[in-house]
Structure formats: structure tokens, C-alpha cells
Amino acid sequence: MGASPDGKAFAFISEGENDQLALLRVTLAAGGTAQPVKVADLEAPLGGARDHIETLVRWN
């Protein structure tokens, strides 16, 4: 999981239906309920080595 520089959001990788990986973002709002939004689908690791997934989230 990676927090944004301003602390108002964070991003994470999740495994959904059919073992599809996706990058999701949650924007935090005072007094509200945060809902994840899919940013992108991700390619599966080579050779199905899900135990060795390394992630890096960079905020621009």
C-alpha cells in the first residue's frame, strides 16, 4: 500500500475475480465513507509466481 504525499489518498493492489490483479485508489474524506476506485488492471507475474509480487506505488 502506498500513501499519497498529501495524505489524502492511498493506493493498493488487490486480487479480484478470475485471479485478476488490479491497482486501486482510495481518496480519504472527512466524515465520509471511502470507496476504492480501480485505476488499472495489472499483468499477472511471470510463471504464476504470485508469492513473489513486489509492488511500488509512485505518486505524481
Side-chain angles (χ1 to χ4, degrees):
M1 178 168 54
S4 65
D6 64 6
K8 294 182 180 180
F10 65 92
F12 62 97
I13 293 178
S14 179
E15 187 174 332
E17 296 178 23
N18 302 320
D19 296 330
Q20 175 65 47
L21 297 174
L23 175 65
L24 294 110
R25 179 187 70 237
V26 175
T27 301
L28 305 172
T33 303
Q35 296 293 322
V37 175
K38 186 182 345 181
V39 176
D41 288 322
L42 303 174
E43 296 287 328
L46 295 175
R50 289 188 182 276
D51 293 341
H52 303 290
I53 295 173
E54 291 185 31
T55 60
L56 175 64
V57 176
R58 178 179 172 189
W59 292 85
N60 290 324

